[in-house]
Amino acid sequence: MQLLSRKQIRFISGLTFLLCVLGSLLYAAFAVRDWLKDEQRMPVQVIEFSGDFDHVSLTRLERLIRKSQPGSFFELDVNEVFRLVEAQPWVYRASVRKQWPNTLKIYLVEQQPVAQWNEDMLLNPYGDTFEASAGELTLPRLYGPGGSEKTALEGYNAMKSLLATSSMAIAELSLSERFAWQMQLKNGVELNLGRQEFIDRLQRFIDVYPLLTKQEKPVRYVDLRYDTGFAVGWRIDDNKRS
């Protein structure tokens, strides 16, 4: 039987020691991983919201986040939370970050509705649509073909600024398939502005409306689709009609 030399014995001893160290480190790594994954040891205790918002339900949003991310602080996927938060109807923009040791910080920018769009959507100031309930909000109603949201909003803003010089305001504004404008004012008067020079035509109406109010009959509609002049429809009192 051949005996091992001292050199071989030292090599085997060193290798054995190295394997023991590596095994210990590997065991420790798995133990730490399991410890970090343990929600009971490292839970996300606080979800902190900040920003200006009136319509976002923080209780509902927090419940959705905790349901989608049930793991520990270290397992929580910030990108997934970001996508979940920005998918909410009233959220325009969001930022999400983790703060050691147990906090998730979320900053929200809420959608700002400026008009209803085709009855089933809302418009923000940039002409983007989003699905949400207007609730008790009093918003002008805008209508138009798909893809015309920004055009309709730009037209509305221009006409709103022009009407600001008078006591009149827009209740409803429609843009047809041929991009002709029709408007209903809050006082009930309907305006047909056509496709071209609609701002000039609206100004013509503003200039002449004080004269129209002096008539015995209230104005029902004004058709301004003429190079010069306009046509007026009058409201007929049902009592007098009978």
Side-chain angles (χ1 to χ4, degrees), residues 21-62:
V21 171
L22 291 176
S24 298
L25 290 175
L26 187 61
Y27 175 80
F30 279 109
V32 170
R33 184 199 64 177
D34 292 339
W35 186 83
L36 292 177
K37 282 187 175 181
D38 190 348
E39 183 184 2
Q40 301 304 317
R41 295 180 183 271
M42 294 295 295
V44 178
Q45 292 182 341
V46 179
I47 298 180
E48 182 179 303
F49 295 97
S50 60
D52 295 325
F53 38 82
D54 298 314
H55 304 283
V56 177
S57 172
L58 300 185
T59 302
R60 176 179 176 276
L61 186 53
E62 179 172 347

Side-chain angles (χ1 to χ4, degrees), residues 91-93 109-115 117 122-130 142 147-157:
V91 176
Y92 177 64
R93 289 287 184 268
V109 178
E110 192 174 64
Q111 291 276 17
Q112 297 298 318
V114 295
W117 177 251
L122 298 178
L123 278 179
N124 67 19
Y126 311 104
D128 301 322
T129 57
F130 63 99
L142 272 58
S148 67
E149 295 88 349
K150 288 182 172 57
T151 300
L153 185 59
E154 289 172 359
Y156 167 77
N157 287 333

Side-chain angles (χ1 to χ4, degrees), residues 55 90 113-116 122 133-141 156 160 169-171 186:
H55 304 283
W90 280 104
V114 295
Q116 293 185 14
L122 298 178
S133 173
E136 301 299 322
L137 297 175
T138 302
L139 298 171
R141 301 181 299 276
Y156 167 77
K160 177 184 176 183
I170 301 172
K186 288 186 176 181

Side-chain angles (χ1 to χ4, degrees), residues 11-23:
F11 173 77
I12 293 173
S13 299
L15 181 61
T16 302
F17 177 76
L18 178 61
L19 291 175
C20 290
V21 171
L22 291 176

Side-chain angles (χ1 to χ4, degrees), residues 196-207:
Q196 300 175 346
E197 301 178 346
F198 58 91
I199 293 296
D200 292 338
R201 291 172 177 176
L202 182 58
Q203 182 62 64
R204 188 193 311 165
F205 167 76
I206 293 172
D207 294 339

Side-chain angles (χ1 to χ4, degrees), residues 154-203:
E154 289 172 359
Y156 167 77
N157 287 333
M159 291 184 238
K160 177 184 176 183
S161 297
L162 191 59
L163 286 168
T165 60
S166 67
S167 59
M168 295 175 284
I170 301 172
E172 183 177 303
L173 183 64
S174 299
L175 187 60
S176 72
E177 294 285 346
R178 299 184 61 193
F179 286 82
W181 297 94
Q182 290 185 318
M183 179 191 302
Q184 180 178 332
L185 299 173
K186 288 186 176 181
N187 61 10
V189 177
E190 298 176 6
L191 304 179
N192 195 336
L193 299 168
R195 296 175 57 189
Q196 300 175 346
E197 301 178 346
F198 58 91
I199 293 296
D200 292 338
R201 291 172 177 176
L202 182 58
Q203 182 62 64

